[in-house]
Amino acid sequence: MEDLKNRVDELLENQEYDKALELLTENEMNGETDTWTNSTTGWILGKLGRREEALEYLRKVEGEGEESSWLCCEIGWNLGALGKSKEAVYYLNRAKELGRDDIWINSELGWNMGRLDRNEEAVYYLNRAKELGRDDNWIFEELGWNLGILKKYEEALENLVISEKMKEPDAWTNSQIGWNLGKMDRDEEAVNYLKKAVEQGREDTWVFSTLAWNLGKLDRTEEALEYLLKAKELGRDDAWLHLEMGLSLGDLGKNEEALAELKKAEKNGDESIRLYSTIAWNLGQLNKNEEALKYLEIVEKLGRND
């Protein structure tokens, strides 16, 4: 076994993971396994991105009663990479209890907490990683993302701008900067960043909807409608989209089309003062005053009294 360890260690030093795995697999086929072979096989499989297989071997070690911060970190890391953040957090916290408190584990805890929508805790662990010396674009992007969700838009923007200065921002970073700027009503800047994200290849319902929202606030109605239609083409079909389309179409004097979209918003569950007020306004523009009055009565019942 000592000879095997030396050969595997040499291969790992040279990052020849596949060859090291071959040796360990051959050894396993000969029925010669122990805690070290299972731990090392699990570690290598994780490095190769074969997470499920990695966990099989690491669980064998766990089943042998061998608990260490290293083992808990490896299991937690692989679980997180598989999107099993709740389980990952359990193992990472256990590693903390066993004494590990470094940049890596706090970063992993922060990342997994964010994926569980436990954003306050995510920020805590990410800041701990920063305190311990992490100072790269990843940490600032993660902090920016979590702070934005917590509606701490200025702090979010501060972190994202630091990330932007550290490397050429990609579509994700530009999207996040644009979103936070929009939340701060800095809509011109928001549009510029969101358009950069589109130029970099981001073409999904989120970016088109967010662009439309900011353009709408700038009264750039035709442009807003273009992006709403792009979002619709990609499959967005909810109350928000139809209401925004109704508002834009109405502002452009296309009242019949506006009403069709507004009715779709209602069908999708919108029963807001804003919706019924907009329906009433469009009906008024079409001289359908009796119908408009019915909707104004609904608006009044919902509490609008201006």
Side-chain angles (χ1 to χ4, degrees), residues 25-300:
T25 302
E26 185 181 329
N27 181 74
E28 184 180 6
M29 289 173 69
N30 293 328
E32 299 176 18
T33 61
D34 61 12
T35 298
W36 178 82
T37 59
N38 286 327
S39 298
T40 309
T41 301
W43 182 83
I44 293 170
L45 286 164
K47 291 288 284 184
L48 293 172
R50 293 162 61 178
R51 310 289 185 182
E52 293 283 6
E53 295 170 85
L55 285 168
E56 286 179 27
Y57 282 91
L58 296 167
R59 298 278 198 202
K60 288 178 185 178
V61 180
E62 185 184 26
E64 292 165 1
E66 290 284 335
E67 187 178 44
S68 65
S69 62
W70 179 88
L71 180 62
C72 290
C73 285
E74 285 300 308
I75 293 175
W77 177 60
N78 282 286
L79 286 166
L82 287 168
K84 298 178 179 179
S85 292
K86 189 174 181 180
E87 292 173 75
V89 164
Y90 169 80
Y91 281 97
L92 294 167
N93 274 329
R94 184 68 188 125
K96 273 256 196 186
E97 290 166 8
L98 292 167
R100 184 159 180 178
D101 183 31
D102 56 15
I103 288 172
W104 183 90
I105 197 167
N106 285 291
S107 299
E108 285 294 309
L109 272 165
W111 186 85
N112 281 285
M113 290 292 189
R115 273 68 202 165
L116 292 169
D117 298 323
R118 294 165 62 177
N119 305 100
E120 290 278 6
E121 292 166 276
V123 168
Y124 170 82
Y125 285 111
L126 293 166
N127 276 326
R128 177 66 181 146
K130 258 180 74 179
E131 287 168 13
L132 293 169
R134 184 154 194 178
D135 185 32
D136 60 359
N137 67 285
W138 183 90
I139 196 77
F140 293 110
E141 285 184 350
E142 283 297 309
L143 276 165
W145 180 68
N146 282 283
L147 287 162
I149 291 170
L150 292 168
K151 300 183 179 180
K152 297 180 179 180
Y153 304 121
E154 288 193 21
E155 287 180 71
L157 190 59
E158 285 171 17
N159 281 279
L160 291 164
V161 167
I162 292 170
S163 170
E164 180 188 26
K165 290 175 181 175
M166 297 180 91
K167 74 167 183 66
E168 184 66 30
D170 57 15
W172 185 89
T173 307
N174 282 322
S175 298
Q176 288 298 309
I177 292 174
W179 183 75
N180 280 283
L181 285 165
K183 288 292 186 179
M184 296 165 68
D185 294 323
R186 292 166 60 177
D187 300 301
E188 287 281 4
E189 295 169 88
V191 166
N192 290 336
Y193 275 98
L194 291 163
K195 284 189 172 180
K196 282 181 191 175
V198 172
E199 288 166 11
Q200 290 172 312
R202 183 163 190 178
E203 294 187 352
D204 56 28
T205 58
W206 184 92
V207 75
F208 292 141
S209 300
T210 309
L211 260 167
W213 176 64
N214 283 283
L215 287 163
K217 289 197 287 174
L218 291 166
D219 295 323
R220 289 161 62 178
T221 310
E222 288 190 15
E223 283 182 85
L225 186 58
E226 284 176 26
Y227 285 105
L228 290 168
L229 285 167
K230 284 177 187 261
K232 188 176 182 180
E233 285 168 11
L234 289 174
R236 184 160 189 178
D237 180 28
D238 60 2
W240 183 90
L241 178 85
H242 294 298
L243 174 57
E244 290 297 317
M245 286 190 68
L247 288 163
S248 294
L249 287 162
D251 287 345
L252 293 170
K254 299 178 180 181
N255 305 104
E256 291 284 5
E257 292 175 69
L259 284 168
E261 292 297 331
L262 295 166
K263 293 292 177 66
K264 288 177 185 175
E266 184 181 27
K267 189 176 178 182
N268 275 276
D270 192 341
E271 296 179 346
S272 64
I273 288 173
R274 190 183 189 207
L275 173 69
Y276 292 128
S277 298
T278 310
I279 291 174
W281 182 83
N282 279 279
L283 287 166
Q285 294 297 304
L286 293 166
N287 295 317
K288 296 181 179 181
N289 298 318
E290 284 189 24
E291 284 183 74
L293 188 59
K294 289 177 186 176
Y295 281 98
L296 289 171
E297 287 172 358
I298 294 172
V299 168
E300 191 176 358

